[in-house]
Amino acid sequence: MVRGLPSLARLRWRRRFRTLAALVLLAIFAFAAWIWLPARVTTVPLVHIIDGDSLTVRHDDAALAIRLTGIDAVEYRQDCARADASRWPCGSEARTMLEKLAGGGPLHCEVAAKDRYDRTLAACRTRPFPDGVDLGAEMVRLGGAIATTDAYMVEETEAQAKRRGIWQGDFVRPAEWRATHERTSAALAPPDG
């Protein structure tokens, strides 16, 4: 008759296996918590609204330019057409919208990354989550900006349906407007010389 491992050795093996399984499970939970934890939210005083999707805040005793993630607002100098073909300064109105939404601050911003202009990309709220207003979502809902990610598509659909802001007539998408006006201003610049 062939006998298996002695019972004492079998118990030690089971104990080691359970310990190893518990450590692996703990590592999986720690990794999952690290992945799904929200980014750190920083409370910052508002300094200045630049346009409909950019603002300046004070962080670590220095001015910090922030661009709101997930949206692209009409440019400050941009104007739009209403349904009756009249022109209106939609860019300056978008800036005014963001000023009213942000109020006097402070803002609660979740920093995401930096863009190619070295601006900090962040999602900002007027109060900590879940309270307060998500500035990006509200700018899109009011028709001051378009959604650049799926995060604000519901708000954009609502703004289109209710013909709010830029959706009340014709407008040039902000990226197209910038491309056209950057080329025009570069072409008009005097040659170095």
Side-chain angles (χ1 to χ4, degrees):
M1 178 164 114
V2 177
R3 291 180 53 142
L5 294 173
S7 62
L8 185 59
R10 188 177 302 150
L11 289 175
R12 284 183 187 150
W13 184 84
R14 284 182 184 168
R15 187 177 302 145
R16 287 180 186 148
F17 179 75
R18 279 189 237 141
T19 303
L20 180 63
L23 287 174
V24 168
L25 192 59
L26 184 61
I28 290 170
F29 283 135
F31 181 73
W34 179 71
I35 292 292
W36 285 306
L37 274 178
R40 192 173 72 110
V41 174
T42 305
T43 302
V44 290
L46 176 64
V47 174
H48 174 69
I49 301 293
I50 299 167
D51 59 21
D53 57 13
S54 303
L55 46 98
T56 306
V57 297
R58 179 134 328 266
H59 181 63
D60 294 334
D61 294 325
L64 177 67
I66 289 182
R67 182 163 195 296
L68 298 175
T69 57
I71 71 170
D72 194 8
V74 287
E75 293 300 314
Y76 182 73
R77 296 183 324 260
Q78 187 173 347
D79 59 332
C80 301
R82 288 197 167 100
D84 65 2
S86 63
R87 304 297 296 172
W88 60 287
C90 56
S92 64
E93 283 194 18
R95 179 177 182 262
T96 303
M97 269 184 217
L98 186 56
E99 281 178 335
K100 286 179 182 174
L101 290 171
L107 299 176
H108 305 272
C109 299
E110 182 180 312
V111 175
K114 292 266 189 181
D115 69 3
R116 62 183 173 152
Y117 302 108
D118 201 37
R119 293 176 299 191
T120 300
L121 300 174
C124 295
R125 302 181 70 82
T126 56
R127 293 183 50 202
F129 183 81
D131 298 325
V133 174
D134 178 337
L135 297 179
E138 196 64 12
M139 284 299 294
V140 172
R141 193 183 70 72
L142 292 173
I146 61 171
T148 59
T149 65
D150 291 342
Y152 300 132
M153 290 309 288
V154 170
E155 289 83 356
E156 184 173 301
T157 302
E158 178 185 334
Q160 284 177 331
K162 295 187 177 178
R163 303 190 56 76
R164 291 185 187 136
I166 57 179
W167 302 105
Q168 61 186 292
D170 292 328
F171 70 97
V172 176
R173 291 199 169 263
E176 294 170 19
W177 191 92
R178 283 190 300 273
T180 302
H181 288 77
E182 285 174 10
R183 277 189 243 132
T184 303
S185 62
L188 296 176
D192 292 338

